[in-house]
Amino acid sequence: MEKIIKHSVTLPASSDKLFDMYLDPILHGAIIGGAVTISPIAGSEFLAFDGMIYGKTIAVVPKKYIVQLWRGKHWKPEDRDSIPVLTFLPDGKNGKIELTHLDVPEGDFDNVNKGWLDYYWKPWKAYLEKVMQKAEKRAA
């Protein structure tokens, strides 16, 4: 049986910037620490973590949301593709990402849930804080 993951994270950048970062293969890769294949074009391939996660970007509403199909390399053939939906919202001077990740295989639910925290939200926040520190040093 498939499960649903829901996260809401506020990061120190505008929602527009967060949206752009997610769809930029270089910035996305810098955040997660490895090469990423991604594009804002519906139907385009998605690949991350040396192929451990792969799929397609199936819908993009600029600066609002991204819908993808994902599979884990180790998932069983009978496991359905999961569907992460990322919604980007302003939150004061910050941006908020609301994630609803549908159809996560029950056998991999804990790993995928923890993976969002450990491989996306925490490193993304650290990346943005590092960028902000560099900008502050240049301004000083």
Side-chain angles (χ1 to χ4, degrees), residues 26 45 81-82 107 111:
I26 294 169
E45 181 180 77
D81 291 345
S82 68
N111 289 331

Side-chain angles (χ1 to χ4, degrees), residues 2-134:
E2 291 81 12
K3 293 184 152 193
I4 297 171
I5 294 170
K6 288 190 173 232
H7 290 182
S8 181
V9 61
T10 299
L11 297 169
S14 72
S15 57
D16 287 356
K17 176 135 178 95
L18 296 173
F19 179 92
D20 292 341
M21 292 176 80
Y22 188 86
L23 289 175
D24 181 302
I26 294 169
L27 291 175
H28 193 135
I31 292 163
I32 68 168
V36 172
T37 300
I38 194 165
S39 162
I41 300 168
S44 64
E45 181 180 77
F46 174 74
L47 187 71
F49 304 106
D50 295 322
M52 292 300 294
I53 300 170
Y54 63 94
K56 290 182 181 180
T57 299
I58 57 173
V60 176
V61 174
K63 312 298 187 196
K64 299 291 181 201
Y65 72 85
I66 299 164
V67 181
Q68 295 181 302
L69 289 178
W70 276 20
R71 287 196 66 76
K73 187 176 184 179
H74 60 282
W75 290 1
K76 299 173 189 165
E78 61 270 17
D79 289 333
R80 296 175 9 180
D81 291 345
S82 68
I83 305 168
V85 178
L86 296 105
T87 304
F88 298 81
L89 303 162
D91 188 9
K93 64 180 181 173
N94 297 312
K96 182 189 293 186
I97 302 171
E98 291 185 351
L99 167 75
T100 303
H101 195 153
L102 307 164
D103 293 335
V104 178
E106 188 170 7
D108 204 27
F109 178 84
D110 291 338
N111 289 331
V112 175
N113 188 45
K114 190 172 182 329
W116 277 107
L117 296 168
D118 293 343
Y119 301 113
Y120 273 95
W121 311 141
K122 289 178 186 176
W124 204 340
K125 182 178 182 193
Y127 177 86
L128 288 167
E129 288 172 349
K130 185 177 176 182
V131 168
M132 288 179 353
Q133 286 174 350
K134 284 183 181 178

